[in-house]
Amino acid sequence: MNISYNWLKEYVNFDLTPDETAAALTSIGLETGGVEEVQTIKGGLEGLVIGEVLTCVEHPNSDHLHVTTVNLGDGEPVQIVCGAPNVAAGQKVVVATLGTKLYDGDECFTIKKSKIRGVESIGMICAEDEIGIGTDHAGIIVLPAEAIPGTLAKDYYNIKSDYVLEVDITPNRADACSHYGVARDLYAFLVQNGKQVTLQRPSVDAFKVDNHDLDIEVKVENSEACPHYAGVTVKGVTVKESPEWLQNKLRLIGLRPINNVVDITNYIVHAFGQPLHCFDAGKIKGNEVIVKTMPKATPFVTLDEVERKLNERDLMICNKEEAMCIAGVFGGLDSGSTETTTDVFIESAYFHPTWVRKTARRHGLNTDASFRFERGIDPNSVIYCLKLAALMVKELAGGTISSEIKDVCAVPAQDFVVELAYEKVHSLIGKVIPVETIKSIVTSLEMRITNETAKGLTLAVPPYRVDVQRDCDVIEDILRIYGYNNVEIPTTLKSSLTTKGEHDKSNKLQNLIAEQLVGCGFNEILNNSLTRAAYYDGLETYPSNHLVMLMNPLSADLNGMRQTLLFGGLESIAHNANRKNADLKFFEFGNCYHFDADKRNPEKVLAAYSEEYHLGLWVTGKKVSNSWVHPDENSSVFELKAYVENILKRLGLDLHNLVVGNLTDDIYATALSVNTKGGKRLASFGIITKKLLKAFDIDNEVYYADLNWSELLKAIRSVKVSYKEISKFPVVKRDLALLIDKNIQFAEIEKIAYETEKKLLKEVELFDVYEGKNLEAGKKSYAVSFLLQDESQTLNDKMIDKIMSKLVKNLENKLDAKLR
């Protein structure tokens, strides 16, 4: 927000330089990003002087140009060619001399000696818009006869420099969104630093009702959205250009002057933070202002000539017949004052911040008024600013105050009561601050001390301080005014021992697994938790009705919260593949979110919502490419399976105690699931369906694994690392070639083997699969190795043969397997 240095001085009498003021504001929490010297008119009218036209004749080679001689008050007159139709001898004019820079917006051009149609011209006689003091370009500026040639234009127009401070207002500091709000904080700082200063604002004691010729009634039908509404009429105004001082104030902070009535409202909102609106009283049908909501989808054309469909929660300012304005946000097309306006109704109100914020977001509008209303303005300044506006309109636009103030206040604003204990102040700040200093700071911040004891204070905090409602908020205010740099850094460090919680353990394991995956050639990705809801349309595994939807999404691509990490990874794969980088291994840790309508509970709003932490793995493209020692090799789902198994092993899970089964859904073309014996899903992995890959325009196969990290951490809670001596006795290996049905999986063989011999069987491995000629139809051959070991003795042939015979018999009985 732009703050004028000279404007601040109207409220606080201080002698700090602009840079010192910026430093002071930054030290008390109003960070000032920069200080810039500015002038009310760009360029400051440098190089422009008052001249007198001595002669004026027609240009010999043009039917519209004139050749003039102009006295600039410094000796010989100069010759200037001028194209203005109103130029004449005897006029006092503004002349741009050689070297003068003139500005047209951001563009700049320099006055140089030139020939125009063969006649030399030394300088330029200027129009209003050419030097920035107005918008008229119909002719040159003609000054009064008493203007003295040679006078510098900047002196004639009383151009003065000012400094603009760029103050970054944080969202919680609604009270500082004005010059007076910043002045209040600066005043507190100056008082704390021993300066003799006063804080003041213009008096409105002169306000009085001149007559009752224009009485407009006010009705508030929705007092929740509008706790306080006030208005007054001024009759017989003349809408015209604002005086120079008001225009200059607005230009300095980056606003364009419009007319005296509108400029007054802009002045007050930037001076005191109270948005106002001036209605053309002649257009208020029925002489009645009604504050209410309108039926849903009611069309309303705003000031920018856009027709908007209203929501039933949009508060409107209406007359007897129609809506005139979106309360606190934007005016209607025909609601404001124009050059033909003669009577005005001035509105000053306090609208509920939440109502204004939601309306502004619904319609995509962000105005100076909504910016302040949605953060919370000072409810006690409504009447003061209304009176000030009426007095200014009367002074600058003429007219009479023609009605009493119509003041509708449902519930008067109450101070926030805060109990402040000195001990807590010292504890949070880390330093003992004298009681008198604490009292001085809080009173300089306009907090009233309503009760005082030896242990602390009872404070009444003004309602405009929406950010100060607890004792810790008051302590923060005390510290920023006292000065953060005035709290010495201690020479000792006080700390306490803490135990590691679940999050600490999870982070440690995440780092462990991440390092393992990076060592295997993976890259970590981080995708947005917000996703495109359309990805879930038609899916059964992740139904779209289980999405957590955003109420005010930024776009259709970011309108829901992800149920799975899959789609973010596919976006990353597509992005890389489109840039000739198709051989990829990605992993990502992240939350997934779910909504279950069946769990809705009015008493527990969040009951229907849940989130789980997941780990996703993506493998696609070639495993090996362009290697001189190895032929190119495509990645496979078995490669992904190895990565998943290694993660489970690294976490300490015994794979023999997990249940692996086929998985059929609309995400995978073929897949396996890994569950605990209790049925909890730990992981799933497989080949992504062609349909999904086509939706993302991905040509290569993509292998995806989804590990439920939350469930994995639960599964390993009871896992304990144990150690044992390496056996001194040898391992015995026996191989079997088994002829089995095609639909039988290796996992079934493995399961039967471990059930047959639980003590001596250490490992079962599949090392060959054959399908083809010389086999019965519907059959396949598995070559399986069995590793046997007794840790207490050497196995002999009799013991081995007994185990293998029992194993073959069980395989024959349960799987109808045959030895080849």
Side-chain angles (χ1 to χ4, degrees):
M1 187 175 73
N2 290 335
I3 296 293
S4 162
Y5 172 75
N6 288 336
W7 199 340
L8 273 183
K9 285 194 161 190
E10 294 179 13
Y11 307 130
V12 185
N13 54 328
F14 62 94
D15 56 3
L16 301 179
T17 66
D19 287 330
E20 289 171 341
T21 304
L25 292 176
T26 299
S27 74
I28 57 176
L30 298 177
E31 184 179 351
T32 304
V35 178
E36 181 185 1
E37 184 176 6
V38 294
Q39 292 153 326
T40 52
I41 296 175
K42 194 168 185 179
L45 302 186
E46 290 292 339
L48 295 164
V49 298
I50 307 303
E52 180 182 8
V53 180
L54 301 177
T55 64
C56 178
V57 297
E58 292 185 0
H59 193 292
N61 300 318
S62 172
D63 59 356
H64 69 280
L65 296 176
H66 296 85
V67 179
T68 67
T69 56
V70 183
N71 171 25
L72 299 181
D74 59 354
E76 287 292 321
V78 297
Q79 180 173 281
I80 299 176
V81 176
C82 180
N86 65 327
V87 65
Q91 292 174 336
K92 302 293 176 63
V93 294
V94 179
V95 177
T97 57
L98 297 181
T100 300
K101 295 182 183 298
L102 297 180
Y103 297 88
D104 182 9
D106 292 330
E107 296 182 6
C108 171
F109 66 94
T110 304
I111 302 298
K112 299 177 181 177
K113 184 186 292 187
S114 61
K115 281 191 176 182
I116 301 176
R117 299 279 183 96
V119 176
E120 189 175 58
S121 181
I122 306 172
M124 173 179 166
I125 304 176
C126 302
E128 282 187 359
D129 64 332
E130 291 168 334
I131 64 173
I133 66 167
T135 58
D136 187 11
H137 192 70
I140 60 169
I141 302 167
V142 179
L143 301 175
E146 56 269 21
I148 302 172
T151 304
L152 296 180
K154 65 181 179 181
D155 294 335
Y156 181 84
Y157 285 103
N158 194 27
I159 300 300
K160 293 181 180 178
S161 294
D162 195 357
Y163 293 86
V164 170
L165 285 64
E166 186 182 339
V167 180
D168 297 327
I169 306 296
T170 53
N172 65 320
R173 291 301 308 277
D175 63 293
C177 292
S178 66
H179 282 75
Y180 189 73
V182 173
R184 277 190 301 233
D185 265 16
L186 183 59
Y187 166 77
F189 169 85
L190 294 168
V191 169
Q192 170 60 25
N193 284 272
K195 304 287 186 181
Q196 296 297 317
V197 291
T198 57
L199 179 67
Q200 59 188 8
R201 61 181 183 178
S203 171
V204 292
D205 292 343
F207 178 88
K208 66 180 181 66
V209 178
D210 298 312
N211 55 61
H212 295 82
D213 293 346
L214 184 56
D215 199 48
I216 293 179
E217 291 299 321
V218 170
K219 290 183 181 177
V220 177
E221 294 185 4
N222 191 323
S223 58
E224 177 199 346
C226 180
H228 194 177
Y229 190 94
V232 71
T233 60
V234 183
K235 188 175 174 63
V237 302
T238 302
V239 178
K240 58 183 179 181
E241 223 177 46
S242 294
E244 186 181 327
W245 69 266
L246 180 53
Q247 291 191 48
N248 289 344
K249 275 188 180 299
L250 298 180
R251 287 195 191 101
L252 276 167
I253 59 173
L255 298 180
R256 181 175 63 87
I258 298 172
N259 60 53
N260 50 2
V261 173
V262 175
D263 291 350
I264 287 168
T265 62
N266 285 334
Y267 165 79
I268 288 178
V269 74
H270 285 88
F272 303 104
Q274 172 67 55
L276 303 173
H277 192 73
C278 275
F279 293 92
D280 186 332
K283 297 176 182 177
I284 300 177
K285 298 174 182 177
N287 277 0
E288 191 170 13
V289 171
I290 306 168
V291 185
K292 63 179 181 179
T293 55
M294 302 289 283
K296 188 174 182 179
T298 300
F300 180 71
V301 181
T302 46
L303 201 57
D304 55 0
E305 300 182 4
V306 175
E307 182 177 284
R308 305 176 190 276
K309 300 295 184 182
L310 298 178
N311 184 279
E312 69 274 11
R313 298 281 291 176
D314 292 336
L315 187 67
M316 305 298 294
I317 310 300
C318 311
N319 56 39
K320 269 286 191 181
E321 299 178 13
E322 61 193 1
M324 300 186 293
C325 181
I326 303 177
V329 180
F330 212 33
L333 183 61
D334 204 28
S335 69
S337 54
T338 64
E339 292 181 357
T340 60
T341 298
T342 57
D343 306 322
V344 295
F345 174 80
I346 308 172
E347 164 197 279
S348 181
Y350 176 84
F351 299 116
H352 194 287
T354 304
W355 280 71
V356 174
R357 181 169 62 252
K358 290 184 175 181
T359 293
R361 297 298 175 274
R362 269 193 292 269
H363 297 291
L365 294 169
N366 184 25
T367 60
D368 277 343
S370 67
F371 178 84
R372 287 163 175 81
F373 276 127
E374 65 188 45
R375 284 163 174 77
I377 64 166
D378 182 1
N380 290 331
S381 71
V382 170
I383 299 300
Y384 169 81
C385 289
L386 181 63
K387 289 181 176 180
L388 182 61
L391 288 171
M392 290 183 70
V393 169
K394 186 176 175 181
E395 177 187 349
L396 303 183
T400 57
I401 297 174
S402 301
S403 74
E404 299 288 345
I405 290 179
K406 306 296 182 179
D407 186 12
V408 182
C409 184
V411 180
Q414 300 295 320
D415 292 340
F416 304 117
V417 177
V418 177
E419 298 291 338
L420 183 69
Y422 295 136
E423 184 179 348
K424 188 168 184 179
V425 175
H426 306 325
S427 173
L428 286 184
I429 291 178
K431 180 179 180 179
V432 176
I433 297 178
V435 170
E436 290 305 316
T437 301
I438 293 174
K439 291 163 63 176
S440 172
I441 291 174
V442 295
T443 52
S444 67
L445 289 170
E446 299 187 349
M447 302 178 193
R448 289 187 300 109
I449 299 173
T450 59
N451 188 37
E452 181 179 357
T453 66
K455 293 185 177 181
L457 304 172
T458 302
L459 299 174
V461 181
Y464 67 76
R465 288 306 304 272
V466 293
D467 61 319
V468 181
Q469 300 184 27
R470 304 167 299 169
D471 56 353
C472 54
D473 299 327
V474 175
I475 295 169
E476 181 185 1
D477 258 15
I478 291 170
L479 178 55
R480 67 185 182 86
I481 300 301
Y482 180 75
Y484 297 101
N485 293 335
N486 292 328
V487 179
E488 298 81 3
I489 298 174
T491 56
T492 59
L493 177 65
K494 297 179 181 179
S495 63
S496 60
L497 294 175
T498 58
T499 57
K500 288 187 177 180
E502 290 299 318
H503 287 291
D504 299 296
K505 295 176 183 177
S506 175
N507 289 336
K508 182 180 178 181
L509 290 173
Q510 284 177 54
N511 289 333
L512 187 73
I513 299 304
E515 289 174 1
Q516 177 177 317
L517 290 170
V518 169
C520 294
F522 279 79
N523 287 299
E524 185 172 11
I525 57 175
L526 293 171
N527 286 303
N528 201 329
S529 296
L530 303 181
T531 188
R532 186 179 180 187
Y535 288 153
Y536 298 86
D537 290 345
L539 291 183
E540 294 180 4
T541 307
Y542 300 107
S544 58
N545 61 353
H546 284 188
L547 278 169
V548 179
M549 298 298 296
L550 270 65
M551 295 179 67
N552 297 302
L554 295 172
S555 68
D557 290 334
L558 298 170
N559 59 348
M561 301 193 75
R562 64 188 178 193
Q563 290 189 65
T564 172
L565 302 176
L566 171 63
F567 299 122
L570 293 180
E571 288 176 348
S572 299
I573 290 171
H575 181 84
N576 279 269
N578 290 338
R579 289 156 179 79
K580 308 298 183 184
N581 184 26
D583 304 331
L584 303 165
K585 293 179 184 178
F586 288 150
F587 75 94
E588 179 181 12
F589 286 97
N591 276 315
C592 296
Y593 307 87
H594 302 273
F595 169 73
D596 188 348
D598 295 336
K599 294 182 179 179
R600 282 183 184 273
N601 186 336
E603 296 181 2
K604 297 181 181 179
V605 180
L606 298 180
Y609 301 91
S610 62
E611 66 178 64
E612 290 181 327
Y613 206 61
H614 282 245
L615 166 61
L617 306 179
W618 295 262
V619 176
T620 185
K622 293 185 181 296
K623 179 181 180 182
V624 180
S625 64
N626 300 325
S627 173
W628 65 276
V629 295
H630 196 292
D632 285 5
E633 180 182 345
N634 289 327
S635 298
S636 71
V637 71
F638 302 106
E639 181 186 350
L640 177 66
K641 176 176 179 285
Y643 295 135
V644 173
E645 287 185 347
N646 287 338
I647 289 171
L648 297 176
K649 289 178 182 177
R650 191 67 179 269
L651 291 174
L653 289 170
D654 185 350
L655 300 184
H656 298 151
N657 293 328
L658 301 178
V659 179
V660 179
N662 289 324
L663 178 65
T664 304
D665 62 20
D666 48 5
I667 296 296
Y668 297 107
T670 180
L672 293 177
S673 64
V674 181
N675 298 337
T676 64
K677 289 184 177 179
K680 294 290 185 180
R681 174 77 58 83
L682 298 181
S684 61
F685 59 90
I687 306 170
I688 298 300
T689 63
K690 295 289 185 184
K691 181 180 178 182
L692 279 179
L693 297 182
K694 184 178 179 182
F696 285 85
D697 198 23
I698 298 173
D699 297 326
N700 291 336
E701 291 273 17
V702 175
Y703 312 108
Y704 172 64
D706 176 33
L707 290 84
N708 189 326
W709 191 259
S710 301
E711 290 296 336
L712 281 171
L713 291 185
K714 293 177 185 177
I716 64 174
R717 280 177 184 169
S718 59
V719 170
K720 293 182 179 179
V721 178
S722 59
Y723 303 89
K724 63 182 179 180
E725 187 180 352
I726 296 174
S727 176
K728 300 175 183 178
F729 302 100
V731 174
V732 176
K733 180 180 178 184
R734 291 290 185 269
D735 297 338
L736 294 179
L738 302 170
L739 188 65
I740 56 176
D741 288 338
K742 278 188 175 182
N743 59 348
I744 294 175
Q745 295 181 349
F746 170 68
E748 296 178 62
I749 297 174
E750 187 179 35
K751 180 182 178 184
I752 292 171
Y754 284 120
E755 288 175 349
T756 301
E757 178 53 57
K758 297 180 180 179
K759 181 181 178 183
L760 301 181
L761 183 61
K762 301 300 180 183
E763 196 171 329
V764 182
E765 288 184 349
L766 176 67
F767 65 89
D768 187 45
V769 180
Y770 175 73
E771 295 182 62
K773 60 183 181 179
N774 301 326
L775 294 181
E776 298 177 28
K779 299 287 185 177
K780 63 182 176 182
S781 175
Y782 270 1
V784 185
S785 289
F786 300 89
L787 297 182
L788 303 171
Q789 184 182 37
D790 190 334
E791 296 177 2
S792 61
Q793 62 179 333
T794 300
L795 291 173
N796 56 44
D797 289 343
K798 185 177 180 180
M799 296 170 66
I800 296 168
D801 291 342
K802 182 179 178 182
I803 294 170
M804 294 305 297
S805 297
K806 186 178 179 182
L807 186 58
V808 170
K809 185 177 180 181
N810 282 344
L811 290 172
E812 288 176 346
N813 292 337
K814 295 181 179 181
L815 299 180
D816 195 24
K818 296 179 182 178
L819 290 178
R820 291 186 66 198

